[in-house]
PDB file of all heavy atoms in Angstrom:
ATOM      1  N   VAL A   2       0.830  -1.212   0.000  1.00 80.00           N
ATOM      2  CA  VAL A   2       0.000   0.000   0.000  1.00 80.00           C
ATOM      3  C   VAL A   2       0.860   1.256   0.000  1.00 80.00           C
ATOM      4  O   VAL A   2       0.644   2.175  -0.805  1.00 80.00           O
ATOM      5  CB  VAL A   2      -0.960   0.001   1.202  1.00 80.00           C
ATOM      6  CG1 VAL A   2      -1.677   1.356   1.315  1.00 80.00           C
ATOM      7  CG2 VAL A   2      -1.981  -1.114   1.077  1.00 80.00           C
ATOM      8  N   MET A   3       1.855   1.297   0.906  1.00 74.00           N
ATOM      9  CA  MET A   3       2.691   2.495   0.991  1.00 74.00           C
ATOM     10  C   MET A   3       3.536   2.668  -0.260  1.00 74.00           C
ATOM     11  O   MET A   3       3.750   3.790  -0.734  1.00 74.00           O
ATOM     12  CB  MET A   3       3.582   2.418   2.232  1.00 74.00           C
ATOM     13  CG  MET A   3       2.813   2.406   3.552  1.00 74.00           C
ATOM     14  SD  MET A   3       1.707   3.838   3.774  1.00 74.00           S
ATOM     15  CE  MET A   3       2.899   5.178   3.867  1.00 74.00           C
ATOM     16  N   GLY A   4       4.027   1.559  -0.815  1.00 71.00           N
ATOM     17  CA  GLY A   4       4.792   1.651  -2.060  1.00 71.00           C
ATOM     18  C   GLY A   4       3.941   2.149  -3.213  1.00 71.00           C
ATOM     19  O   GLY A   4       4.384   2.963  -4.030  1.00 71.00           O
ATOM     20  N   TRP A   5       2.695   1.671  -3.273  1.00 76.00           N
ATOM     21  CA  TRP A   5       1.779   2.097  -4.330  1.00 76.00           C
ATOM     22  C   TRP A   5       1.463   3.582  -4.205  1.00 76.00           C
ATOM     23  O   TRP A   5       1.476   4.324  -5.201  1.00 76.00           O
ATOM     24  CB  TRP A   5       0.492   1.278  -4.251  1.00 76.00           C
ATOM     25  CG  TRP A   5      -0.545   1.694  -5.250  1.00 76.00           C
ATOM     26  CD1 TRP A   5      -0.559   1.457  -6.593  1.00 76.00           C
ATOM     27  CD2 TRP A   5      -1.734   2.449  -4.973  1.00 76.00           C
ATOM     28  NE1 TRP A   5      -1.669   2.002  -7.177  1.00 76.00           N
ATOM     29  CE2 TRP A   5      -2.412   2.620  -6.209  1.00 76.00           C
ATOM     30  CE3 TRP A   5      -2.279   2.976  -3.809  1.00 76.00           C
ATOM     31  CZ2 TRP A   5      -3.614   3.323  -6.295  1.00 76.00           C
ATOM     32  CZ3 TRP A   5      -3.483   3.678  -3.894  1.00 76.00           C
ATOM     33  CH2 TRP A   5      -4.131   3.838  -5.127  1.00 76.00           C
ATOM     34  N   LEU A   6       1.208   4.037  -2.988  1.00 73.00           N
ATOM     35  CA  LEU A   6       0.910   5.450  -2.773  1.00 73.00           C
ATOM     36  C   LEU A   6       2.121   6.324  -3.096  1.00 73.00           C
ATOM     37  O   LEU A   6       1.980   7.413  -3.656  1.00 73.00           O
ATOM     38  CB  LEU A   6       0.482   5.681  -1.324  1.00 73.00           C
ATOM     39  CG  LEU A   6      -0.904   5.150  -0.938  1.00 73.00           C
ATOM     40  CD1 LEU A   6      -1.133   5.285   0.556  1.00 73.00           C
ATOM     41  CD2 LEU A   6      -1.996   5.872  -1.713  1.00 73.00           C
ATOM     42  N   SER A   7       3.318   5.829  -2.743  1.00 69.00           N
ATOM     43  CA  SER A   7       4.542   6.578  -3.036  1.00 69.00           C
ATOM     44  C   SER A   7       4.748   6.738  -4.536  1.00 69.00           C
ATOM     45  O   SER A   7       5.095   7.818  -5.021  1.00 69.00           O
ATOM     46  CB  SER A   7       5.741   5.870  -2.393  1.00 69.00           C
ATOM     47  OG  SER A   7       6.938   6.569  -2.653  1.00 69.00           O
ATOM     48  N   ARG A   8       4.521   5.654  -5.296  1.00 72.00           N
ATOM     49  CA  ARG A   8       4.662   5.737  -6.758  1.00 72.00           C
ATOM     50  C   ARG A   8       3.572   6.593  -7.378  1.00 72.00           C
ATOM     51  O   ARG A   8       3.814   7.340  -8.334  1.00 72.00           O
ATOM     52  CB  ARG A   8       4.637   4.333  -7.359  1.00 72.00           C
ATOM     53  CG  ARG A   8       5.862   3.490  -7.053  1.00 72.00           C
ATOM     54  CD  ARG A   8       5.876   2.213  -7.864  1.00 72.00           C
ATOM     55  NE  ARG A   8       4.753   1.353  -7.536  1.00 72.00           N
ATOM     56  CZ  ARG A   8       4.757   0.449  -6.576  1.00 72.00           C
ATOM     57  NH1 ARG A   8       5.836   0.294  -5.825  1.00 72.00           N
ATOM     58  NH2 ARG A   8       3.707  -0.306  -6.350  1.00 72.00           N
ATOM     59  N   LEU A   9       2.375   6.508  -6.829  1.00 75.00           N
ATOM     60  CA  LEU A   9       1.246   7.266  -7.359  1.00 75.00           C
ATOM     61  C   LEU A   9       1.466   8.762  -7.226  1.00 75.00           C
ATOM     62  O   LEU A   9       1.023   9.545  -8.076  1.00 75.00           O
ATOM     63  CB  LEU A   9      -0.040   6.858  -6.625  1.00 75.00           C
ATOM     64  CG  LEU A   9      -1.355   7.415  -7.164  1.00 75.00           C
ATOM     65  CD1 LEU A   9      -1.654   6.844  -8.547  1.00 75.00           C
ATOM     66  CD2 LEU A   9      -2.505   7.107  -6.202  1.00 75.00           C
ATOM     67  N   THR A  10       2.154   9.155  -6.155  1.00 71.00           N
ATOM     68  CA  THR A  10       2.352  10.586  -5.883  1.00 71.00           C
ATOM     69  C   THR A  10       3.772  11.034  -6.212  1.00 71.00           C
ATOM     70  O   THR A  10       4.207  12.103  -5.763  1.00 71.00           O
ATOM     71  CB  THR A  10       2.041  10.886  -4.412  1.00 71.00           C
ATOM     72  OG1 THR A  10       2.855  10.039  -3.578  1.00 71.00           O
ATOM     73  CG2 THR A  10       0.585  10.629  -4.098  1.00 71.00           C
ATOM     74  N   ALA A  11       4.516  10.218  -6.963  1.00 70.00           N
ATOM     75  CA  ALA A  11       5.888  10.578  -7.322  1.00 70.00           C
ATOM     76  C   ALA A  11       5.906  11.889  -8.093  1.00 70.00           C
ATOM     77  O   ALA A  11       5.065  12.138  -8.964  1.00 70.00           O
ATOM     78  CB  ALA A  11       6.516   9.469  -8.166  1.00 70.00           C
ATOM     79  N   GLY A  12       6.855  12.744  -7.764  1.00 72.00           N
ATOM     80  CA  GLY A  12       6.983  14.017  -8.469  1.00 72.00           C
ATOM     81  C   GLY A  12       6.271  15.167  -7.800  1.00 72.00           C
ATOM     82  O   GLY A  12       6.340  16.301  -8.280  1.00 72.00           O
ATOM     83  N   ASN A  13       5.562  14.923  -6.708  1.00 74.00           N
ATOM     84  CA  ASN A  13       4.943  16.023  -5.968  1.00 74.00           C
ATOM     85  C   ASN A  13       5.270  15.862  -4.486  1.00 74.00           C
ATOM     86  O   ASN A  13       5.786  14.821  -4.059  1.00 74.00           O
ATOM     87  CB  ASN A  13       3.424  16.064  -6.217  1.00 74.00           C
ATOM     88  CG  ASN A  13       2.716  14.818  -5.709  1.00 74.00           C
ATOM     89  OD1 ASN A  13       2.783  14.499  -4.532  1.00 74.00           O
ATOM     90  ND2 ASN A  13       2.039  14.098  -6.608  1.00 74.00           N
ATOM     91  N   PRO A  14       5.013  16.881  -3.669  1.00 72.00           N
ATOM     92  CA  PRO A  14       5.397  16.832  -2.246  1.00 72.00           C
ATOM     93  C   PRO A  14       4.844  15.633  -1.500  1.00 72.00           C
ATOM     94  O   PRO A  14       5.470  15.138  -0.559  1.00 72.00           O
ATOM     95  CB  PRO A  14       4.825  18.140  -1.687  1.00 72.00           C
ATOM     96  CG  PRO A  14       4.771  19.052  -2.866  1.00 72.00           C
ATOM     97  CD  PRO A  14       4.436  18.181  -4.029  1.00 72.00           C
ATOM     98  N   PHE A  15       3.664  15.153  -1.904  1.00 71.00           N
ATOM     99  CA  PHE A  15       3.088  14.001  -1.209  1.00 71.00           C
ATOM    100  C   PHE A  15       3.904  12.739  -1.439  1.00 71.00           C
ATOM    101  O   PHE A  15       3.878  11.815  -0.629  1.00 71.00           O
ATOM    102  CB  PHE A  15       1.642  13.790  -1.664  1.00 71.00           C
ATOM    103  CG  PHE A  15       0.702  14.854  -1.181  1.00 71.00           C
ATOM    104  CD1 PHE A  15       0.232  15.827  -2.053  1.00 71.00           C
ATOM    105  CD2 PHE A  15       0.306  14.897   0.142  1.00 71.00           C
ATOM    106  CE1 PHE A  15      -0.630  16.813  -1.609  1.00 71.00           C
ATOM    107  CE2 PHE A  15      -0.553  15.885   0.598  1.00 71.00           C
ATOM    108  CZ  PHE A  15      -1.027  16.838  -0.283  1.00 71.00           C
ATOM    109  N   GLY A  16       4.631  12.691  -2.560  1.00 70.00           N
ATOM    110  CA  GLY A  16       5.457  11.531  -2.838  1.00 70.00           C
ATOM    111  C   GLY A  16       6.514  11.340  -1.761  1.00 70.00           C
ATOM    112  O   GLY A  16       6.752  10.220  -1.304  1.00 70.00           O
ATOM    113  N   PHE A  17       7.145  12.428  -1.362  1.00 73.00           N
ATOM    114  CA  PHE A  17       8.154  12.347  -0.295  1.00 73.00           C
ATOM    115  C   PHE A  17       7.526  11.891   1.019  1.00 73.00           C
ATOM    116  O   PHE A  17       8.083  11.058   1.734  1.00 73.00           O
ATOM    117  CB  PHE A  17       8.821  13.707  -0.104  1.00 73.00           C
ATOM    118  CG  PHE A  17       9.703  13.776   1.118  1.00 73.00           C
ATOM    119  CD1 PHE A  17      10.964  13.194   1.101  1.00 73.00           C
ATOM    120  CD2 PHE A  17       9.263  14.405   2.277  1.00 73.00           C
ATOM    121  CE1 PHE A  17      11.777  13.242   2.234  1.00 73.00           C
ATOM    122  CE2 PHE A  17      10.064  14.451   3.401  1.00 73.00           C
ATOM    123  CZ  PHE A  17      11.334  13.870   3.379  1.00 73.00           C
ATOM    124  N   LEU A  18       6.352  12.420   1.337  1.00 76.00           N
ATOM    125  CA  LEU A  18       5.681  12.070   2.582  1.00 76.00           C
ATOM    126  C   LEU A  18       5.304  10.599   2.621  1.00 76.00           C
ATOM    127  O   LEU A  18       5.477   9.922   3.633  1.00 76.00           O
ATOM    128  CB  LEU A  18       4.438  12.943   2.768  1.00 76.00           C
ATOM    129  CG  LEU A  18       4.685  14.433   3.014  1.00 76.00           C
ATOM    130  CD1 LEU A  18       3.368  15.191   3.097  1.00 76.00           C
ATOM    131  CD2 LEU A  18       5.499  14.638   4.288  1.00 76.00           C
ATOM    132  N   PHE A  19       4.779  10.101   1.492  1.00 74.00           N
ATOM    133  CA  PHE A  19       4.416   8.688   1.449  1.00 74.00           C
ATOM    134  C   PHE A  19       5.659   7.804   1.462  1.00 74.00           C
ATOM    135  O   PHE A  19       5.638   6.703   2.027  1.00 74.00           O
ATOM    136  CB  PHE A  19       3.548   8.387   0.230  1.00 74.00           C
ATOM    137  CG  PHE A  19       2.113   8.782   0.395  1.00 74.00           C
ATOM    138  CD1 PHE A  19       1.528   9.701  -0.466  1.00 74.00           C
ATOM    139  CD2 PHE A  19       1.341   8.240   1.418  1.00 74.00           C
ATOM    140  CE1 PHE A  19       0.195  10.070  -0.309  1.00 74.00           C
ATOM    141  CE2 PHE A  19       0.015   8.608   1.576  1.00 74.00           C
ATOM    142  CZ  PHE A  19      -0.570   9.524   0.707  1.00 74.00           C
ATOM    143  N   GLY A  20       6.744   8.277   0.844  1.00 76.00           N
ATOM    144  CA  GLY A  20       7.994   7.532   0.899  1.00 76.00           C
ATOM    145  C   GLY A  20       8.516   7.441   2.327  1.00 76.00           C
ATOM    146  O   GLY A  20       8.965   6.388   2.771  1.00 76.00           O
ATOM    147  N   LEU A  21       8.422   8.560   3.040  1.00 81.00           N
ATOM    148  CA  LEU A  21       8.830   8.588   4.447  1.00 81.00           C
ATOM    149  C   LEU A  21       7.926   7.676   5.276  1.00 81.00           C
ATOM    150  O   LEU A  21       8.394   6.940   6.154  1.00 81.00           O
ATOM    151  CB  LEU A  21       8.770  10.013   4.978  1.00 81.00           C
ATOM    152  CG  LEU A  21       9.183  10.235   6.434  1.00 81.00           C
ATOM    153  CD1 LEU A  21      10.641   9.819   6.630  1.00 81.00           C
ATOM    154  CD2 LEU A  21       8.979  11.699   6.834  1.00 81.00           C
ATOM    155  N   GLY A  22       6.640   7.723   4.952  1.00 80.00           N
ATOM    156  CA  GLY A  22       5.688   6.860   5.653  1.00 80.00           C
ATOM    157  C   GLY A  22       5.990   5.393   5.426  1.00 80.00           C
ATOM    158  O   GLY A  22       5.899   4.580   6.357  1.00 80.00           O
ATOM    159  N   ALA A  23       6.360   5.050   4.190  1.00 80.00           N
ATOM    160  CA  ALA A  23       6.698   3.662   3.873  1.00 80.00           C
ATOM    161  C   ALA A  23       7.908   3.212   4.681  1.00 80.00           C
ATOM    162  O   ALA A  23       7.954   2.086   5.180  1.00 80.00           O
ATOM    163  CB  ALA A  23       6.966   3.519   2.382  1.00 80.00           C
ATOM    164  N   PHE A  24       8.888   4.104   4.818  1.00 86.00           N
ATOM    165  CA  PHE A  24      10.089   3.787   5.599  1.00 86.00           C
ATOM    166  C   PHE A  24       9.735   3.518   7.062  1.00 86.00           C
ATOM    167  O   PHE A  24      10.199   2.546   7.665  1.00 86.00           O
ATOM    168  CB  PHE A  24      11.084   4.941   5.497  1.00 86.00           C
ATOM    169  CG  PHE A  24      12.290   4.797   6.374  1.00 86.00           C
ATOM    170  CD1 PHE A  24      13.315   3.920   6.038  1.00 86.00           C
ATOM    171  CD2 PHE A  24      12.405   5.537   7.547  1.00 86.00           C
ATOM    172  CE1 PHE A  24      14.432   3.785   6.852  1.00 86.00           C
ATOM    173  CE2 PHE A  24      13.514   5.407   8.366  1.00 86.00           C
ATOM    174  CZ  PHE A  24      14.534   4.530   8.018  1.00 86.00           C
ATOM    175  N   VAL A  25       8.897   4.376   7.630  1.00 89.00           N
ATOM    176  CA  VAL A  25       8.512   4.237   9.039  1.00 89.00           C
ATOM    177  C   VAL A  25       7.699   2.956   9.253  1.00 89.00           C
ATOM    178  O   VAL A  25       7.968   2.182  10.178  1.00 89.00           O
ATOM    179  CB  VAL A  25       7.719   5.467   9.514  1.00 89.00           C
ATOM    180  CG1 VAL A  25       7.159   5.240  10.919  1.00 89.00           C
ATOM    181  CG2 VAL A  25       8.592   6.713   9.488  1.00 89.00           C
ATOM    182  N   VAL A  26       6.707   2.728   8.390  1.00 88.00           N
ATOM    183  CA  VAL A  26       5.842   1.557   8.550  1.00 88.00           C
ATOM    184  C   VAL A  26       6.624   0.262   8.364  1.00 88.00           C
ATOM    185  O   VAL A  26       6.469  -0.702   9.130  1.00 88.00           O
ATOM    186  CB  VAL A  26       4.654   1.621   7.559  1.00 88.00           C
ATOM    187  CG1 VAL A  26       3.877   0.311   7.562  1.00 88.00           C
ATOM    188  CG2 VAL A  26       3.737   2.785   7.921  1.00 88.00           C
ATOM    189  N   THR A  27       7.482   0.224   7.347  1.00 88.00           N
ATOM    190  CA  THR A  27       8.289  -0.973   7.100  1.00 88.00           C
ATOM    191  C   THR A  27       9.176  -1.277   8.294  1.00 88.00           C
ATOM    192  O   THR A  27       9.279  -2.426   8.740  1.00 88.00           O
ATOM    193  CB  THR A  27       9.149  -0.794   5.840  1.00 88.00           C
ATOM    194  OG1 THR A  27       8.299  -0.581   4.717  1.00 88.00           O
ATOM    195  CG2 THR A  27      10.013  -2.021   5.596  1.00 88.00           C
ATOM    196  N   ASN A  28       9.803  -0.235   8.839  1.00 92.00           N
ATOM    197  CA  ASN A  28      10.685  -0.446   9.985  1.00 92.00           C
ATOM    198  C   ASN A  28       9.915  -0.773  11.248  1.00 92.00           C
ATOM    199  O   ASN A  28      10.456  -1.443  12.143  1.00 92.00           O
ATOM    200  CB  ASN A  28      11.584   0.773  10.198  1.00 92.00           C
ATOM    201  CG  ASN A  28      12.811   0.741   9.313  1.00 92.00           C
ATOM    202  OD1 ASN A  28      13.789   0.066   9.616  1.00 92.00           O
ATOM    203  ND2 ASN A  28      12.741   1.460   8.202  1.00 92.00           N
ATOM    204  N   LEU A  29       8.675  -0.329  11.337  1.00 93.00           N
ATOM    205  CA  LEU A  29       7.850  -0.721  12.473  1.00 93.00           C
ATOM    206  C   LEU A  29       7.610  -2.231  12.457  1.00 93.00           C
ATOM    207  O   LEU A  29       7.706  -2.900  13.496  1.00 93.00           O
ATOM    208  CB  LEU A  29       6.514   0.028  12.443  1.00 93.00           C
ATOM    209  CG  LEU A  29       5.505  -0.347  13.534  1.00 93.00           C
ATOM    210  CD1 LEU A  29       6.088  -0.074  14.919  1.00 93.00           C
ATOM    211  CD2 LEU A  29       4.196   0.406  13.338  1.00 93.00           C
ATOM    212  N   VAL A  30       7.313  -2.760  11.279  1.00 92.00           N
ATOM    213  CA  VAL A  30       7.116  -4.206  11.145  1.00 92.00           C
ATOM    214  C   VAL A  30       8.411  -4.936  11.483  1.00 92.00           C
ATOM    215  O   VAL A  30       8.413  -5.937  12.221  1.00 92.00           O
ATOM    216  CB  VAL A  30       6.643  -4.568   9.723  1.00 92.00           C
ATOM    217  CG1 VAL A  30       6.602  -6.085   9.534  1.00 92.00           C
ATOM    218  CG2 VAL A  30       5.276  -3.968   9.446  1.00 92.00           C
ATOM    219  N   TRP A  31       9.546  -4.438  10.953  1.00 93.00           N
ATOM    220  CA  TRP A  31      10.833  -5.067  11.257  1.00 93.00           C
ATOM    221  C   TRP A  31      11.134  -5.021  12.748  1.00 93.00           C
ATOM    222  O   TRP A  31      11.603  -5.998  13.321  1.00 93.00           O
ATOM    223  CB  TRP A  31      11.946  -4.362  10.480  1.00 93.00           C
ATOM    224  CG  TRP A  31      11.890  -4.580   9.002  1.00 93.00           C
ATOM    225  CD1 TRP A  31      11.107  -5.483   8.334  1.00 93.00           C
ATOM    226  CD2 TRP A  31      12.624  -3.878   8.003  1.00 93.00           C
ATOM    227  NE1 TRP A  31      11.309  -5.383   6.990  1.00 93.00           N
ATOM    228  CE2 TRP A  31      12.228  -4.410   6.745  1.00 93.00           C
ATOM    229  CE3 TRP A  31      13.561  -2.861   8.033  1.00 93.00           C
ATOM    230  CZ2 TRP A  31      12.767  -3.959   5.556  1.00 93.00           C
ATOM    231  CZ3 TRP A  31      14.099  -2.406   6.849  1.00 93.00           C
ATOM    232  CH2 TRP A  31      13.709  -2.948   5.619  1.00 93.00           C
ATOM    233  N   PHE A  32      10.854  -3.882  13.377  1.00 96.00           N
ATOM    234  CA  PHE A  32      11.099  -3.702  14.806  1.00 96.00           C
ATOM    235  C   PHE A  32      10.331  -4.748  15.613  1.00 96.00           C
ATOM    236  O   PHE A  32      10.878  -5.396  16.514  1.00 96.00           O
ATOM    237  CB  PHE A  32      10.672  -2.292  15.210  1.00 96.00           C
ATOM    238  CG  PHE A  32      10.710  -2.020  16.688  1.00 96.00           C
ATOM    239  CD1 PHE A  32      11.913  -1.789  17.343  1.00 96.00           C
ATOM    240  CD2 PHE A  32       9.538  -1.970  17.419  1.00 96.00           C
ATOM    241  CE1 PHE A  32      11.939  -1.530  18.704  1.00 96.00           C
ATOM    242  CE2 PHE A  32       9.553  -1.706  18.781  1.00 96.00           C
ATOM    243  CZ  PHE A  32      10.758  -1.486  19.433  1.00 96.00           C
ATOM    244  N   ILE A  33       9.063  -4.921  15.276  1.00 95.00           N
ATOM    245  CA  ILE A  33       8.223  -5.880  16.002  1.00 95.00           C
ATOM    246  C   ILE A  33       8.708  -7.303  15.775  1.00 95.00           C
ATOM    247  O   ILE A  33       8.780  -8.116  16.712  1.00 95.00           O
ATOM    248  CB  ILE A  33       6.750  -5.727  15.581  1.00 95.00           C
ATOM    249  CG1 ILE A  33       6.205  -4.375  16.080  1.00 95.00           C
ATOM    250  CG2 ILE A  33       5.905  -6.871  16.128  1.00 95.00           C
ATOM    251  CD1 ILE A  33       4.810  -4.050  15.588  1.00 95.00           C
ATOM    252  N   MET A  34       9.092  -7.632  14.541  1.00 95.00           N
ATOM    253  CA  MET A  34       9.528  -8.991  14.249  1.00 95.00           C
ATOM    254  C   MET A  34      10.895  -9.287  14.877  1.00 95.00           C
ATOM    255  O   MET A  34      11.155 -10.430  15.296  1.00 95.00           O
ATOM    256  CB  MET A  34       9.534  -9.242  12.744  1.00 95.00           C
ATOM    257  CG  MET A  34       8.151  -9.179  12.133  1.00 95.00           C
ATOM    258  SD  MET A  34       8.051  -9.711  10.406  1.00 95.00           S
ATOM    259  CE  MET A  34       7.964 -11.479  10.590  1.00 95.00           C
ATOM    260  N   VAL A  35      11.756  -8.291  14.956  1.00 97.00           N
ATOM    261  CA  VAL A  35      13.025  -8.477  15.674  1.00 97.00           C
ATOM    262  C   VAL A  35      12.749  -8.752  17.138  1.00 97.00           C
ATOM    263  O   VAL A  35      13.341  -9.653  17.749  1.00 97.00           O
ATOM    264  CB  VAL A  35      13.932  -7.237  15.512  1.00 97.00           C
ATOM    265  CG1 VAL A  35      15.085  -7.270  16.513  1.00 97.00           C
ATOM    266  CG2 VAL A  35      14.493  -7.160  14.098  1.00 97.00           C
ATOM    267  N   ARG A  36      11.831  -7.986  17.714  1.00 96.00           N
ATOM    268  CA  ARG A  36      11.496  -8.187  19.125  1.00 96.00           C
ATOM    269  C   ARG A  36      10.895  -9.581  19.344  1.00 96.00           C
ATOM    270  O   ARG A  36      11.223 -10.258  20.325  1.00 96.00           O
ATOM    271  CB  ARG A  36      10.516  -7.111  19.582  1.00 96.00           C
ATOM    272  CG  ARG A  36      10.161  -7.197  21.056  1.00 96.00           C
ATOM    273  CD  ARG A  36       9.467  -5.943  21.529  1.00 96.00           C
ATOM    274  NE  ARG A  36       8.956  -6.115  22.881  1.00 96.00           N
ATOM    275  CZ  ARG A  36       8.317  -5.163  23.563  1.00 96.00           C
ATOM    276  NH1 ARG A  36       8.133  -3.971  23.013  1.00 96.00           N
ATOM    277  NH2 ARG A  36       7.887  -5.381  24.779  1.00 96.00           N
ATOM    278  N   MET A  37      10.040 -10.018  18.442  1.00 96.00           N
ATOM    279  CA  MET A  37       9.445 -11.347  18.558  1.00 96.00           C
ATOM    280  C   MET A  37      10.495 -12.445  18.432  1.00 96.00           C
ATOM    281  O   MET A  37      10.461 -13.448  19.156  1.00 96.00           O
ATOM    282  CB  MET A  37       8.347 -11.522  17.503  1.00 96.00           C
ATOM    283  CG  MET A  37       7.094 -10.695  17.781  1.00 96.00           C
ATOM    284  SD  MET A  37       5.934 -10.626  16.371  1.00 96.00           S
ATOM    285  CE  MET A  37       5.496 -12.356  16.197  1.00 96.00           C
ATOM    286  N   SER A  38      11.442 -12.271  17.523  1.00 97.00           N
ATOM    287  CA  SER A  38      12.485 -13.281  17.350  1.00 97.00           C
ATOM    288  C   SER A  38      13.379 -13.348  18.585  1.00 97.00           C
ATOM    289  O   SER A  38      13.803 -14.439  18.995  1.00 97.00           O
ATOM    290  CB  SER A  38      13.312 -12.996  16.091  1.00 97.00           C
ATOM    291  OG  SER A  38      14.082 -11.823  16.236  1.00 97.00           O
ATOM    292  N   LEU A  39      13.652 -12.200  19.196  1.00 97.00           N
ATOM    293  CA  LEU A  39      14.450 -12.195  20.421  1.00 97.00           C
ATOM    294  C   LEU A  39      13.686 -12.830  21.575  1.00 97.00           C
ATOM    295  O   LEU A  39      14.271 -13.546  22.401  1.00 97.00           O
ATOM    296  CB  LEU A  39      14.859 -10.762  20.775  1.00 97.00           C
ATOM    297  CG  LEU A  39      15.942 -10.151  19.874  1.00 97.00           C
ATOM    298  CD1 LEU A  39      16.131  -8.675  20.193  1.00 97.00           C
ATOM    299  CD2 LEU A  39      17.263 -10.901  20.028  1.00 97.00           C
ATOM    300  N   ASP A  40      12.382 -12.588  21.628  1.00 96.00           N
ATOM    301  CA  ASP A  40      11.565 -13.263  22.642  1.00 96.00           C
ATOM    302  C   ASP A  40      11.658 -14.780  22.480  1.00 96.00           C
ATOM    303  O   ASP A  40      11.772 -15.519  23.460  1.00 96.00           O
ATOM    304  CB  ASP A  40      10.103 -12.817  22.537  1.00 96.00           C
ATOM    305  CG  ASP A  40       9.860 -11.432  23.116  1.00 96.00           C
ATOM    306  OD1 ASP A  40      10.733 -10.930  23.851  1.00 96.00           O
ATOM    307  OD2 ASP A  40       8.793 -10.845  22.833  1.00 96.00           O
ATOM    308  N   ALA A  41      11.626 -15.236  21.232  1.00 96.00           N
ATOM    309  CA  ALA A  41      11.685 -16.679  20.968  1.00 96.00           C
ATOM    310  C   ALA A  41      13.002 -17.275  21.439  1.00 96.00           C
ATOM    311  O   ALA A  41      13.019 -18.293  22.148  1.00 96.00           O
ATOM    312  CB  ALA A  41      11.470 -16.950  19.479  1.00 96.00           C
ATOM    313  N   VAL A  42      14.121 -16.653  21.058  1.00 97.00           N
ATOM    314  CA  VAL A  42      15.423 -17.234  21.425  1.00 97.00           C
ATOM    315  C   VAL A  42      15.715 -17.075  22.909  1.00 97.00           C
ATOM    316  O   VAL A  42      16.540 -17.803  23.474  1.00 97.00           O
ATOM    317  CB  VAL A  42      16.573 -16.625  20.579  1.00 97.00           C
ATOM    318  CG1 VAL A  42      16.382 -16.950  19.110  1.00 97.00           C
ATOM    319  CG2 VAL A  42      16.711 -15.126  20.803  1.00 97.00           C
ATOM    320  N   HIS A  43      15.039 -16.125  23.575  1.00 96.00           N
ATOM    321  CA  HIS A  43      15.210 -15.949  25.025  1.00 96.00           C
ATOM    322  C   HIS A  43      14.245 -16.816  25.821  1.00 96.00           C
ATOM    323  O   HIS A  43      14.266 -16.795  27.057  1.00 96.00           O
ATOM    324  CB  HIS A  43      15.005 -14.486  25.403  1.00 96.00           C
ATOM    325  CG  HIS A  43      16.099 -13.592  24.920  1.00 96.00           C
ATOM    326  ND1 HIS A  43      15.946 -12.216  24.760  1.00 96.00           N
ATOM    327  CD2 HIS A  43      17.380 -13.855  24.548  1.00 96.00           C
ATOM    328  CE1 HIS A  43      17.073 -11.692  24.307  1.00 96.00           C
ATOM    329  NE2 HIS A  43      17.955 -12.666  24.179  1.00 96.00           N
ATOM    330  N   GLY A  44      13.376 -17.551  25.107  1.00 94.00           N
ATOM    331  CA  GLY A  44      12.457 -18.439  25.789  1.00 94.00           C
ATOM    332  C   GLY A  44      11.219 -17.759  26.344  1.00 94.00           C
ATOM    333  O   GLY A  44      10.524 -18.327  27.193  1.00 94.00           O
ATOM    334  N   LYS A  45      10.909 -16.574  25.857  1.00 93.00           N
ATOM    335  CA  LYS A  45       9.719 -15.858  26.300  1.00 93.00           C
ATOM    336  C   LYS A  45       8.538 -16.185  25.382  1.00 93.00           C
ATOM    337  O   LYS A  45       8.739 -16.543  24.226  1.00 93.00           O
ATOM    338  CB  LYS A  45       9.971 -14.347  26.289  1.00 93.00           C
ATOM    339  CG  LYS A  45      11.095 -13.892  27.217  1.00 93.00           C
ATOM    340  CD  LYS A  45      11.310 -12.395  27.099  1.00 93.00           C
ATOM    341  CE  LYS A  45      12.453 -11.928  27.999  1.00 93.00           C
ATOM    342  NZ  LYS A  45      12.694 -10.467  27.849  1.00 93.00           N
TER     343      LYS A  45
END
């Protein structure tokens, strides 16, 4: 979704905002999955 919105708005100010949003959302998912993987190896 974020990638599609970023491409759709490429070339205007909203393109940068959606690109930034994609970066934040993607890293939020990575952050949660890293935390879950650490919980697993720590036995939580």
Side-chain angles (χ1 to χ4, degrees):
V2 172
M3 296 303 294
W5 177 74
L6 288 173
S7 180
R8 290 190 297 272
L9 188 67
T10 56
N13 63 59
F15 290 105
F17 170 77
L18 292 177
F19 281 120
L21 181 61
F24 174 76
V25 172
V26 171
T27 299
N28 277 279
L29 176 60
V30 173
W31 291 349
F32 173 77
I33 292 173
M34 295 189 82
V35 166
R36 183 166 171 179
M37 289 168 62
S38 68
L39 287 172
D40 284 345
V42 297
H43 290 159
K45 299 178 181 178

